[in-house]
Amino acid sequence: MFEDLNFPKGFQWGSAASAHQTEGGNHNSWSEWEKIPGKIKDGSNADIACDHYNRFEEDFDLAKELGHQVHRFSIEWSRIEPKQGKWNQKEIDHYCSVSKALINRGIQPMMTLHHFANPIWFRDIDAWLNPESPEMFGNYARKAAKALSDLDIIWNTINEPMVVVALGHLYGEFPPGIKDFGKAQEATKHLLMAHGQAATQIREIYDELGRKQPQIVPVISTTHFMPADPNNEDDVEMTTYLDNLYNQIWIRGAVNGQIEELDGSTRNYKALENSTDFIGINYYSRMVVSSEMDILAGQTPPKDPNLERCEGLDWEVYPDGYYHVLKSYWENYSKPIFLTENGIGTLDDSLRRRYLITHLQQVHRAIQDGVDIRGYLVWSLTDNFEWAQGYESHFGLVEVDYETQERKPRESAFMFREIIESNALTKEIQEKHLSRKV
Ligand code: FCB
């Protein structure tokens, strides 16, 4: 029934994480948001999280032991620029050590400049609603790139800008807690411009320092939108609208260099030229679209009771959507793709194993159909602070005991190592983990 699914030679495997979710000890827009009663489901905060700031060597030992070849992580803007224009060299040095710790273990660092959290000073001047925010972000990118340009790093600019926009400015579930479509549009534009500014600054400083240009990768969240009734024109139209709004706007802007203005017109933005070497795609689930629901107000049709779900977040497990998302990006933009996040929050590790295998089957299917995919990263290396869910979602290949900070690889971590070692989803792996519920 199963066959060996081989991945291309040189395909890169690893895991992803972010600073605020793992480090502990941050003071930023999120650390203050967490302290507002009711914002985090389990009432927790990321004050300690996984203490990764102090334990990164130990965590990277594990990543190495588990066969990872790439590790995606983020650096904390609030640590590096605690006050506008004031740089903290000690923190910059810290991230140099983090990057070197990966390189010394033979793991490729992929570094994200912004993963949801903002410095307090930036929050206080309206963050992404401030028209000068792209330049401010560009300055930070320049500083970081200058300090790290002698290391072989793949740069991610902004993680999932659409999540920053939608959850922060439309649904009000993430800071700054706004619910306003017009503001969401403004933030969209500024985040895209910020990506462009960051890419431009990174390119410039590498040139000035005579370094080989690095790869720059914007990372987007993708959802597979599908009409509740494919024969209902309104559902289909709404699906296309949402796909454009949530998925396509970003990459179209980053690849084609165009900013969509609030009045619907577009203009070319020079800083976006040459801003994207790969497209970084995060995929978790699908969304069924019914034109009868006000999706922009957070309404969604009932979930399919037959599909398995991600803990807490309630995302349906829908591997087929991965294939469609990958195909559509390749067809629309013809840029190589790096899969920067995929995984499931669950305490049922057999579900995690099934999730990883069934999603990798779809990745393989897309590759067979000509999609240029260069690598795949599991979210996440360890359990961590899952934003508005707190510690209720367990995404780690490695379990964390938050009392003792002890790490314990789950069986899925060893299964993933086998996949990496064979650069394939072998018949045996699929049989073992899919044929029966283990
Ligand atoms: C993504 C985020 C990441 C993590 C996963 C589960 O949207 O980038 O930080 O929370 O979801």
Side-chain angles (χ1 to χ4, degrees), residues 17-18 21 72 115-116 159-160 163 221 282 284 313 315 341 343 379 384-387 395:
S18 87
Q21 291 174 278
R72 173 172 176 245
H115 198 124
F116 294 173
N159 180 69
E160 300 189 342
V163 172
S221 55
N282 297 350
Y284 290 93
L313 292 151
W315 297 336
E341 283 182 32
W379 182 273
N384 56 49
F385 177 75
E386 179 45 42
W387 308 113
F395 275 91

Side-chain angles (χ1 to χ4, degrees), residues 251 255-256 276-279 326-337 370-372 374:
I251 293 303
V255 172
N256 300 344
T276 306
D277 293 298
F278 293 90
I279 302 178
L326 296 174
K327 272 286 275 203
S328 90
Y329 276 91
W330 179 246
E331 278 161 11
N332 288 342
Y333 310 107
S334 308
K335 281 268 176 199
I337 291 171
V371 183
D372 183 356
R374 304 289 174 91

Side-chain angles (χ1 to χ4, degrees), residues 220-273:
I220 51 162
S221 55
T222 59
T223 298
H224 177 52
F225 292 98
M226 42 199 305
D229 175 1
N231 299 316
N232 175 324
E233 269 178 34
D234 292 341
D235 287 3
V236 172
E237 201 183 301
M238 188 70 183
T239 303
T240 310
Y241 171 76
L242 289 174
D243 177 53
N244 182 54
L245 189 68
Y246 284 90
N247 292 334
Q248 309 292 337
I249 278 184
W250 299 100
I251 293 303
R252 192 170 54 238
V255 172
N256 300 344
Q258 284 176 342
I259 299 272
E260 296 184 19
E261 294 293 349
L262 300 183
D263 63 7
S265 63
T266 55
R267 78 178 156 100
N268 290 335
Y269 184 62
K270 190 148 182 10
L272 285 170
E273 279 170 22

Side-chain angles (χ1 to χ4, degrees), residues 32-68:
E32 295 213 342
W33 177 260
E34 289 151 24
K35 311 289 161 15
I36 306 172
K39 297 297 183 201
I40 311 296
K41 223 185 198 171
D42 63 0
S44 63
N45 61 55
D47 282 0
I48 300 176
C50 312
D51 192 27
H52 176 73
Y53 188 84
N54 298 307
R55 294 171 196 257
F56 63 92
E57 300 267 4
E58 182 194 331
D59 287 340
F60 296 162
D61 281 345
L62 268 172
K64 182 180 155 100
E65 215 176 289
L66 295 170
H68 297 193

